[in-house]
Amino acid sequence: MARPVPLPLLLAAVCLVAATAAGGADAAVRKTTAVGVYELRKGDFSVRVTNWGAVIMSVVLPDSRGKLADVVLGYDTVAEYVDSSTYFGALVGRVANRIAKARFVLDGKAYHLYQNDGKNTLHGGHRGFSNVTWTVKEHVGGGDAPYITLYYHSFDGEQGFPGALDVYVTYQLSGPYVLSVHMNATAVGKATPVNLAQHSYWNLGGAGSGDILGNTVQLFASRYTPVDAELIPTGQVAPVAGTPYDLRAPTPVGARVHRVTGGLSKKGATIYGFDINYAVDGDDAHALRRVAVVRDGKSGRSLELWANQPGVQFYTGNFLTADVKGKGGKAYGQYGALCLETQGFPDAVNHPNFPSVIVRPGQVYKHEMVYKFSF
């Protein structure tokens, strides 16, 4: 569980920024470290972002009847994100997902990380990239392709990781009902593992509208990485054929969610649901490939995800509980959303057979995502 930044400090920072970065739809805001909320708008399609954790706070678009709804889980205020361990909408890193026993060896040297998931490291440690203030480099809220670019400098040794890292993310409304995410990171001084992920929770019926068990999901992945009871990969890359993890054809989430295990509760009880990495099909590891399609029959909304990463973590909100209250005070509940986190393979630093996530000094890590919505 992440350690929150003291709330008074955050609230003081928020007060430095006008609500929703007001100043006109086409106004540009350049370089600020004050915490605020920034809107991107293209007709009736809009996205709100905060530079706390590079979080996507809302994604609003119509359904098949023209009714607008926010389709990502989250909170009403930035302050609520600080005191949360859900990772709603955050950009997670330096290394997303789990690292076994919070350690790895790189170039003959052992590195020990912060343990924040039992004895393992999850999403970069207790103060990962989701728990820091990013610098707003540029924000253009309207026009043909509204965007915001955020920057974070991760120092050498942060959370135990070697070398400094310069990280950028750009969120852009790049077309009609298209949200693009461009991430890049440059290693400075030392080689380091880098695996960034966008951790939005999607409910195409609208945040707080109920569970996603009726959604159909199709994953363009014929292999997956099996895990142990702590959700650490075993090192295998196994075919999905003949297993409940086979989602190559459109499949209702509810038809499979109770046939797969997604970890253990704090009391040791089995939690059912998907929380697993898939190996995305395609020969060119750096090419933009279709990853997933999600459809919500009630609203008519669909999401098609493209990315250039070797893996995608499919998570069905197994650990969401009724006491997790979000926007408007709504309780989200178990299976209240799903996540599609494109990524390098989890614990790749400890599995030489997995695609490498090591970035050498001067090299640039690039992660591209494209969300295409329809209704």
Side-chain angles (χ1 to χ4, degrees):
M1 185 176 294
R3 182 182 301 169
V5 168
L7 192 57
L9 293 180
L10 178 72
L11 292 176
V14 172
C15 289
L16 296 176
V17 178
T20 322
D26 298 322
V29 176
R30 296 181 183 274
K31 199 170 182 180
T32 178
T33 55
V35 176
V37 179
Y38 301 84
E39 185 176 65
L40 311 176
R41 179 175 291 276
K42 192 175 179 70
D44 57 4
F45 180 39
S46 65
V47 173
R48 292 167 69 240
V49 173
T50 176
N51 57 321
W52 172 260
V55 165
I56 294 177
M57 294 180 68
S58 68
V59 177
V60 176
L61 70 153
D63 65 7
S64 58
R65 294 171 294 277
K67 183 179 179 181
L68 296 176
D70 181 359
V71 296
V72 293
L73 270 55
Y75 303 108
D76 291 317
T77 65
V78 177
E80 292 170 281
Y81 287 89
V82 178
D83 195 26
S84 171
S85 59
T86 60
Y87 302 99
F88 283 156
L91 192 147
V92 295
R94 178 179 302 197
V95 176
N97 218 302
R98 292 170 175 85
I99 295 178
K101 303 187 188 319
R103 72 179 299 277
F104 64 93
V105 175
L106 176 59
D107 295 338
K109 182 176 180 179
Y111 292 93
H112 299 274
L113 311 174
Y114 192 97
Q115 298 178 357
N116 66 323
D117 183 54
K119 294 182 179 180
N120 308 312
T121 296
L122 176 64
H123 294 330
H126 81 290
R127 190 179 178 273
F129 294 175
S130 57
N131 272 334
V132 297
T133 301
W134 293 60
T135 298
V136 179
K137 300 294 285 186
E138 192 166 7
H139 168 232
V140 177
D144 292 335
Y147 70 94
I148 184 169
T149 297
L150 307 173
Y151 164 76
Y152 179 66
H153 176 78
S154 179
F155 58 84
D156 182 9
E158 186 170 22
Q159 297 297 287
F161 289 100
L165 193 71
D166 287 324
V167 189
Y168 292 85
V169 59
T170 297
Y171 298 118
Q172 184 174 41
L173 307 190
S174 53
Y177 307 106
V178 176
L179 169 62
S180 298
V181 183
H182 312 277
M183 297 172 248
N184 66 74
T186 302
V188 180
K190 300 176 184 177
T192 187
V194 181
N195 185 20
L196 308 180
Q198 218 302 316
H199 207 302
S200 286
Y201 286 66
W202 300 96
N203 184 325
L204 295 178
S209 65
D211 62 50
I212 46 80
L213 298 181
N215 285 187
T216 61
V217 174
Q218 181 178 16
L219 297 180
F220 298 89
S222 55
R223 297 176 301 153
Y224 75 113
T225 53
V227 294
D228 63 19
E230 295 182 333
L231 301 179
I232 299 294
T234 62
Q236 292 178 286
V237 182
V240 298
T243 77
Y245 295 102
D246 190 350
L247 301 175
R248 289 175 294 174
T251 305
V253 175
R256 299 284 178 83
V257 76
H258 296 295
R259 297 177 58 191
V260 294
T261 56
L264 301 173
S265 71
K266 291 181 180 179
K267 296 182 179 180
T270 298
I271 300 293
Y272 289 93
F274 289 88
D275 194 359
I276 196 79
N277 173 68
Y278 285 82
V280 180
D281 292 339
D283 295 329
D284 188 344
H286 302 291
L288 204 62
R289 293 167 285 170
R290 188 159 62 158
V291 175
V293 175
V294 182
R295 290 187 172 90
D296 175 60
K298 291 183 179 179
S299 69
R301 294 188 185 95
S302 295
L303 181 162
E304 183 175 274
L305 173 61
W306 293 67
N308 69 342
Q309 294 298 292
V312 59
Q313 188 82 9
F314 179 44
Y315 174 57
T316 47
N318 315 329
F319 286 93
L320 292 175
T321 58
D323 62 347
V324 178
K325 292 182 171 57
K327 299 166 187 174
K330 291 182 179 179
Y332 289 139
Q334 191 177 39
Y335 313 129
L338 57 84
C339 300
L340 293 164
E341 307 157 55
T342 53
Q343 59 182 3
F345 288 5
D347 199 32
V349 289
N350 291 310
H351 296 283
N353 59 310
F354 286 0
S356 177
V357 295
I358 302 303
V359 178
R360 300 280 171 185
Q363 291 182 337
V364 180
Y365 162 95
K366 294 182 179 181
H367 185 167
E368 305 288 334
M369 303 177 73
V370 180
Y371 299 96
K372 300 179 180 180
F373 300 95
S374 57
F375 43 88

